[in-house]
Amino acid sequence: MILASRNGSGADPSERVPAVTTSQQSDDNVQPATTDEAAPAAPTAVPAPSPAPTPAAPSPAAVAGGAPSPAAVARPAKKAAAPVAAPPAYSTPLEEAAKFGRVTEDGHVFVLVGGEEHPVGQYPDATAEEALAYFVRKHDDVVSQVMLLEQRVAAKAPSADMGKTVDHLAQAVAEKGMVGDLAALQARLEALRAGVAELQKAEQAATETRRAEELAAREAIVAEAEELAGRDPSTVQWKQGSTRMNELFEQWKAAQKNGPRLGRATEDALWKRFRGARTTFDRHRRAFFSQLDADNAEAKAAKEALIARAEELSHSTDWANTAAEYRRLMDEWKASKRASRKDDDALWSRFRAAQDVFFNARQNANAALDQEFEANLAVKEQLLAEAQALLPITDLAAAKKSLDSIRDRWEAAGKVPRAAMQRTEAGLRQVEDAVRNAEDEQWRRSNPETKARTNSMLTQLEETIASLEEDLEVARGKGNEGKIRAAEEALEARRAWLETLRKSAADFQ
């Protein structure tokens, strides 16, 4: 049977002391040694060391770097951290382990730490190698767990429960219930403790960064919602605005589900602002559409009245006055408020249909009249050709007499079709303008006042030229070049002006 004792030689063989393992679980109870002469039983199987604590779930994914925006709040689902592959199981050769342990003849095992021996336990009824190997395996189990933990720290795995695991392993090493280089193992654990502390510090910093980014993203959601709620309701595109407010609400829910917690007070304050903005936006939207419905009803009533008046006029045959009234109705229609697009289109169709009845009837009546006026058009076409033959005007008196005769016959011919009215009237007006221009030109040439004024100017200009010629002769006699030049320039300008006036006077002769 196996007897695991922390006492030295001479210990009470009936005392049962559990051997400490890395998982702090006691081995199977060891039966006391007996004095029976029966052959010793085979050692009971040593339980396997407890596995390392399962890594905690990873913290939420950090928000992407840079200034957060509401659109950036949507986050992917949380992903489990990639598992860290366990290193191969550590095994210490017995030759190496013998440097740190000793087995007595009665199966007591001691470990050497810092030059001092410490009892580990007893493994009776077995060879020294078997007893040593049993307690070396306990050391190797701890080393294997330390290696796995070191690997997790190097891989920056989530540090949850790492500190507890280090404390647990350190306690197992401190109890010296194993054989191996415990001083080196203790040093590795201290280094591992420092590494875990650094990892926890980095995780805390990352958590704070994620929390700050999450807070900024939530603030951005709230700020945009408040901006939407604060707009002038008359300028809001309500369909796009409502869609955007719903998107912000979905982003808020995604942030609450996937993002780091911001603290109850902070989240409650932000939610209160966001909820208030949504409430205000919804109140403005309902008020806007309520007013819109009222405006639509008012616009429909006003346009229904215009349609009724248009329908009353649709069968009138007073073409001129009714057409003017329809123009006034159209002006009122344009000045009135618009109803909803569907209603406004339907109302316009009815209003237009009433006008079409009148204008189609007027068009049919005009077409009938035009048919009657075709004969008149033929007469006026001949008169227009006769009038145009007077151009250009060579004999004003004869042209005026012929034009008077053409006008009398033009009036007697009557109306022509509407399509030809403008063309024919414009043709006759062109001949009339030519005769009138000829009359004006004749009057201008024969106007006595104009003649007298021109003759007076000629006389004055001739006298001025004579005076300038005398001044020029005096300047030449004195040899004054400056006065000579000035007199010549003045004389030249007056002579040119005199020539122009003489031509104008000739036109009056």
Side-chain angles (χ1 to χ4, degrees):
M1 304 296 290
I2 301 173
L3 179 62
S5 173
R6 296 298 303 272
N7 300 326
S9 57
D12 184 359
S14 64
E15 182 181 2
R16 298 192 301 173
V17 180
V20 180
T21 66
T22 56
S23 61
Q24 291 187 322
Q25 294 178 343
S26 62
D27 292 333
D28 292 339
N29 292 334
V30 181
Q31 299 297 329
T34 63
T35 57
D36 295 342
E37 296 181 356
T44 55
V46 179
S50 300
T54 303
S59 59
V63 179
S69 64
V73 176
R75 297 168 179 79
K78 296 180 180 179
K79 297 182 179 179
V84 178
Y90 183 78
S91 177
T92 304
L94 289 182
E95 294 80 2
E96 180 68 21
K99 299 177 182 179
F100 303 99
R102 181 175 63 85
V103 182
T104 63
E105 293 181 355
D106 59 357
H108 282 88
V109 180
F110 296 85
V111 64
L112 185 64
V113 180
E116 296 182 3
E117 281 191 342
H118 300 271
V120 176
Q122 186 180 15
Y123 196 95
D125 302 327
T127 64
E129 289 77 6
E130 291 174 339
L132 184 62
Y134 174 74
F135 290 102
V136 169
R137 284 197 297 273
K138 291 178 178 291
H139 167 269
D140 292 347
D141 288 341
V142 173
V143 173
S144 295
Q145 294 188 63
V146 169
M147 292 171 61
L148 176 59
L149 202 56
E150 289 172 337
Q151 190 166 329
R152 291 179 62 203
V153 171
K156 299 187 183 304
S159 64
D161 295 332
M162 281 190 183
K164 293 181 179 180
T165 304
V166 172
D167 292 340
H168 170 74
L169 296 176
Q171 182 181 355
V173 173
E175 291 177 353
K176 300 179 180 62
M178 59 193 72
V179 174
D181 190 351
L182 300 189
L185 185 55
Q186 184 64 39
R188 290 178 69 179
L189 283 170
E190 291 304 320
L192 189 56
R193 191 187 304 278
V196 171
E198 288 295 325
L199 182 59
Q200 290 174 338
K201 183 178 179 181
E203 288 180 350
Q204 181 64 26
T207 299
E208 292 301 325
T209 299
R210 290 196 301 272
R211 186 174 288 113
E213 292 172 346
E214 178 66 21
L215 178 60
R218 296 278 190 97
E219 286 280 6
I221 292 176
V222 173
E224 185 174 351
E226 290 175 337
E227 191 275 332
L228 284 174
R231 292 180 183 176
D232 182 354
S234 63
T235 65
V236 176
Q237 297 290 333
W238 289 105
K239 182 176 181 180
Q240 293 87 335
S242 298
T243 299
R244 184 56 186 159
M245 187 63 80
N246 291 335
E247 290 173 351
L248 292 176
F249 183 50
E250 293 301 321
Q251 291 175 8
W252 180 276
K253 292 193 294 184
Q256 279 193 321
K257 179 179 179 181
N258 301 321
R261 303 281 73 83
L262 302 178
R264 185 177 184 86
T266 301
E267 291 198 355
D268 286 349
L270 288 172
W271 169 247
K272 184 177 180 180
R273 289 173 56 194
F274 183 60
R275 182 181 59 191
R278 292 180 67 218
T279 301
T280 301
F281 180 84
D282 190 55
R283 183 173 67 251
H284 288 172
R285 183 179 61 82
R286 290 198 303 270
F288 175 83
F289 283 105
S290 177
Q291 183 61 44
L292 185 63
D293 290 341
D295 292 343
N296 286 342
E298 181 182 351
K300 286 178 63 177
K303 290 186 174 181
E304 288 281 1
L306 293 176
I307 291 171
R309 290 164 58 188
E311 289 174 343
E312 290 176 1
L313 296 171
S314 61
H315 298 291
S316 172
T317 55
D318 185 359
W319 308 119
N321 292 332
T322 304
E325 182 63 21
Y326 269 123
R327 285 193 292 273
R328 287 190 291 271
L329 290 178
M330 178 62 73
D331 292 338
E332 291 184 41
W333 184 280
K334 293 178 180 180
S336 63
K337 294 181 180 179
R338 287 184 58 85
S340 66
R341 181 167 183 173
K342 179 180 179 181
D343 291 338
D344 215 58
D345 290 346
L347 292 168
W348 169 251
S349 297
R350 291 173 56 194
F351 182 69
R352 189 65 183 171
Q355 293 184 79
D356 289 344
V357 171
F358 168 77
F359 286 108
N360 288 337
R362 188 184 69 168
Q363 183 178 1
N364 293 334
N366 289 337
L369 290 176
D370 289 345
Q371 188 68 28
E372 296 177 7
F373 297 155
E374 287 293 337
N376 300 341
L377 177 61
V379 174
K380 287 193 173 183
E381 291 280 7
Q382 293 177 357
L383 292 174
L384 181 59
E386 184 179 342
Q388 289 174 340
L390 299 176
L391 302 179
I393 305 298
T394 56
D395 186 345
L396 179 59
K400 290 174 64 177
K401 183 177 180 181
S402 299
L403 183 58
D404 289 340
S405 173
I406 292 172
R407 282 173 177 167
D408 293 340
R409 287 176 287 160
W410 186 276
E411 294 297 330
K415 296 181 178 180
V416 298
R418 294 172 62 88
M421 186 180 299
Q422 183 176 0
R423 176 179 61 81
T424 54
E425 293 292 337
L428 182 61
R429 190 160 49 249
Q430 183 180 9
V431 177
E432 292 174 338
D433 291 342
V435 172
R436 188 180 301 109
N437 291 337
E439 286 181 317
D440 293 342
E441 180 66 18
Q442 185 182 45
W443 168 251
R444 187 182 66 82
R445 293 176 179 275
S446 61
N447 188 349
E449 294 182 359
T450 304
K451 286 183 177 182
R453 187 165 52 251
T454 301
N455 292 333
S456 176
M457 292 178 64
L458 282 171
T459 302
Q460 293 177 6
L461 194 56
E462 288 172 349
E463 292 175 353
T464 301
I465 290 173
S467 176
L468 288 173
E469 288 175 344
E470 292 177 0
D471 292 343
L472 178 59
E473 291 299 327
V474 173
R476 286 175 177 172
K478 294 181 179 181
N480 190 330
E481 294 296 332
K483 290 186 177 182
I484 293 173
R485 190 180 308 107
E488 288 177 345
E489 291 176 356
L491 188 59
E492 182 179 356
R494 267 52 173 197
R495 286 172 176 171
W497 192 3
L498 178 63
E499 184 65 23
T500 301
L501 285 176
R502 284 175 175 171
K503 289 181 180 180
S504 297
D507 292 337
F508 290 109
Q509 301 304 322

